[in-house]
Amino acid sequence: MTAAISTANDLLLGRRSFIRASATVAGGMLISLYLDLPLTAQEAGQAKPQTYPPDAFVHINPDGKIIIQVNRLEFGQGVHTSLPMILADEMDADWSHVVAELAPAADVYRDPVYGIQMVGGSGSIAHSFQQYRELGAKTRAMLIAAAADQWKVRANECRTEASVVRGPGGRSATYADLADAAAHMTVPETVPLKNSGDFRLVGKKTRRLDSRPKCNGSLKFGLDLDLPGMKVALVAHPPTFGASPKSVDDKEARSIPGVADIFEIPTVSKGTAVTVVADKFWTAKQARDLLKIEWDFTGVERADSQQLWTKYKELARTPGNVAVASGDDKAMGGIPATNRIVAEYEFPYLAHSPMEPLNTTIRFDGDRAEVWAGSQFQTFDQAAVAEVLALKPDQVTFHTEMAGGGFGRRAVPDSHVQREAAAIAKRFAGTPVKLVWTREDDVQGGYYRPMHVHRVEIGIGADGLPFAWHHVIVGQSITAGTPFTPMTIKNGVDETAVEGTADTHYEIPNFHVSAHHPTVNVPVLWWRSVGHTHNAFVMETLIDELAARAKVDPIAYRRKLLKADAKKLRGALDVMEAKSAAWRTKLSKGHAVGFACHESFGTGVACAVDVSIENKRPKIHRVTVAVDPGLAVNPLTVESQFQAGVAFGVSQLMAKGAITLKDGRVEQRNFDGYTPPYITDAPVAVDVHIVPSAEKPTGCGEPPVPVISPAVVNALSQLTGKRYRTLPLVSV
Amino acid sequence: METYKLTVNGQPKEVTVNSGTPLLWVLREELKMTGTKYGCGIAACGACTVHLAGVATRSCVVPVSLIGDRPIVTIEGIGQDPVGRLVQDAWVSEDVVQCGYCQSGQIMGAVALLKSTPKPTDANIEESMGGNICRCGTYPRIRQAIKTASRQLK
């Protein structure tokens, strides 16, 4: 049925599937991983030009529908719309004919920079912009070639618009008519791309393709999957990571009609869990609640937040492994104590808590398996399932399911959910089994943003600007023990822990940043904007404090301190200042304005917030955000990401916005104890202004998050006279 | 196991389940209507919101045995209601959704609000929608869409 452009679908099967580092770009997750390139080319530093078969990305149906494959997960960030926009624009496809699909796991869908199929580091548009442009342009060239061939005219006599090729003499043919013939045309090696002035979709506010099915209940998320004969599995995880059952009494649980089996499975934390497999979720849930398990904690470290704070604060008093040492290490000595600030910050563990609880469905068929999962790391998750089932990755068909949020939680290097699901499915060959993590499993299940202590000593120069800055960061390494280690850990410093400080855009003449990475028995993970979550808070609250101390306007102070090349931040500050001026000059009584600016993932952001105190909590009335993301592919997505992303960032301030452990057990269970922002906590209105730019696009998923919490507490500081250095914000 | 007669989106349905089974799981697993979402199971997030005799209700904590003859309306059926359709359209025109997982519940909450308060203030919106979590944080656009729908109400 699919006429399609079906050239040989060289999915490059059988290639090696592990990561090799080739090049590293400074700054957290901006890491270049290259896979599968011949060693010699890699060592020569030459990335092999990648070619992608257009037919793996575009199918033109006889009815005119143009189906575009999205090479990564959609979980809210909007790539399911913006990547097809890029391809459709270069292809001159009629946008109303475009249908987007999430691609399964396959080598051809790997991120062109990271070298694995993934979403992270706000890299979707940044990395696939050029790729999708070329794919669209090549497809268009093949359609034109087919038309020219039929009409016996030259290709350059033809033009395209809205899924139609037009040639001399008024001839025209639709893409659907040409698709069969185009499929037999040679894929051009290189194609000219449009001038930006010729874009019809890119740069235009374009509504999401997935809105309607998400508004009428018809869109199926991974959790909604229902396959014939499917069973549902729940897992009783040990209350402390790495523990195992001493005894399991499952007699009552087994008496529930519909329970298929109860058995032990290994956990990634080297412990053992107990799984209940039943006909339905509700059956499995009832049965799991009836399990009587006595746990064995022998040899298992019982992490405890209070003890960790004490230990971390102690560590913070001595320098750790050096991330940056510029200027004179002794410069602090020349600053009198009265001109120094010593600040200690505390940041707790944070859970991502995507609204769709984690889940994965697997059917194991002996020599093959099929997986359905909303995964940010298809390459790793597919390989993990294969390993557990003693298969090769190419024996595992991996469907990418729409996911209800993620924020990093579905980008797990150890694939622990998929490993559990595979271990369970292995016992039910031929039967699909859906593993569901309940909300409790999620809140208590680890893989948190690590807790951190920052200790900063600042020596202020006579000009009121920081002259010496000693900064110690204490927190677990997110990437230690993962395949990312060679790229992210240097000199014992995990870049994802110091990003936003070590690479600050402020000019500080004598700057020393170091880090300690204690090992703690709590799995940790990247949480939307990763290290910037805590580093931006520390930097932007301290800069605000310095400005106040110097009695300088906080925007002017930032401008003075920013490095000359911090163009994106300067531009964002200018736009933010101008766009917020009207409301800032007529603040209501009891309100204050707070500012912050921060660059992450290549995107510069500045914001102003209007805050008052209501019911002893910050009430955020208004936020003005200016953002420089390079070329904004879909300005509507950029606006939405920032409006909502700042609300996500408010998570850090919630009174119940912390995961804590006591004697090895997580103290929160569900949203009653660990509470994300509700509508009342989020900003009432957020106006987003995009700095005009023709530079290459950078990410917008994570950069909204870092600025909001420092901006809010900077406003609070003016209202209360206090400085806020401990998160969450238990009291104002 | 007991048999219950329910009215879902105007259709008579019959299910045979344990009396304690929450309505959420009756909808999702017995009736295969997965538009109503599981988010927390303790009525703390609102993803499972349905209308029970017109009242926005957290279906994850309502056992099927307590429903009686009250009609149930879910996200799959709310578009047949003029206010429901208006709200869904406003959600699309304002490009509210991101991941979309919470939006069934948000929309059901918004429809209930607009039916009782056709011209809601920000305070009304916060009060009525105050128990629905959107982890993506689409709240500013949710407010906007409610106001858009409100303006279009006849």
Side-chain angles (χ1 to χ4, degrees), chain A residues 696-712:
Chain A
K696 66 180 171 51
T698 51
C700 286
E702 295 169 277
V705 176
V707 287
I708 187 72
S709 40
V712 169

Side-chain angles (χ1 to χ4, degrees), chain A residues 679, chain B residues 91 106 109-110 113 124-132 142 146:
Chain A
I679 195 167
Chain B
W91 244 249
Q106 304 279 3
L113 165 66
N124 295 146
I125 292 172
E126 287 187 17
E127 190 182 354
S128 185
M129 306 293 290
N132 288 73
I142 287 174
I146 291 173

Side-chain angles (χ1 to χ4, degrees), chain A residues 76 207-208 212 214-215 220 224 226 280-281 352 405 439 619 639-640 643-644 648 651 670 677-678, chain B residues 25 28-30 32 34 37-40 44 88-89 93 95 97-99 126 130 135-137 139 141:
Chain A
R207 289 197 183 92
R208 300 178 66 104
R212 184 62 72 179
K214 285 178 174 177
C215 289
K220 301 287 182 198
D224 301 328
D226 185 33
K280 286 164 193 164
F281 172 93
H352 307 65
R439 181 59 60 196
K619 179 70 188 173
E639 182 180 297
S640 294
Q643 287 179 322
F648 182 93
S651 306
N670 202 316
Y678 289 95
Chain B
W25 296 104
R28 289 182 58 84
E29 300 200 301
E30 307 301 323
K32 310 288 186 192
T34 55
K37 302 304 184 194
Y38 162 64
C40 68
Q88 286 176 325
D89 289 348
S93 71
D95 216 45
V97 310
Q98 289 192 9
C99 88
E126 287 187 17
R135 191 66 174 125
C136 298
Y139 300 118
R141 290 186 104 81

Side-chain angles (χ1 to χ4, degrees), chain A residues 573-649:
Chain A
L573 274 174
D574 290 348
V575 172
M576 178 275 283
E577 186 176 36
K579 297 291 183 184
S580 61
W583 63 258
R584 278 192 287 117
T585 48
K586 46 181 184 202
L587 279 184
S588 308
K589 195 168 182 293
H591 289 227
V593 59
F595 301 101
C597 69
H598 190 75
E599 187 168 321
S600 59
F601 308 96
T603 297
V605 187
C607 77
V609 299
D610 171 358
V611 175
S612 70
I613 298 172
E614 281 180 16
N615 304 316
K616 299 184 179 171
R617 301 300 308 164
K619 179 70 188 173
I620 310 167
H621 301 275
R622 179 161 193 168
V623 183
T624 293
V625 184
V627 50
D628 184 347
L631 173 69
V633 168
N634 186 353
L636 189 57
T637 303
V638 175
E639 182 180 297
S640 294
Q641 281 299 302
F642 274 83
Q643 287 179 322
V646 296
F648 182 93

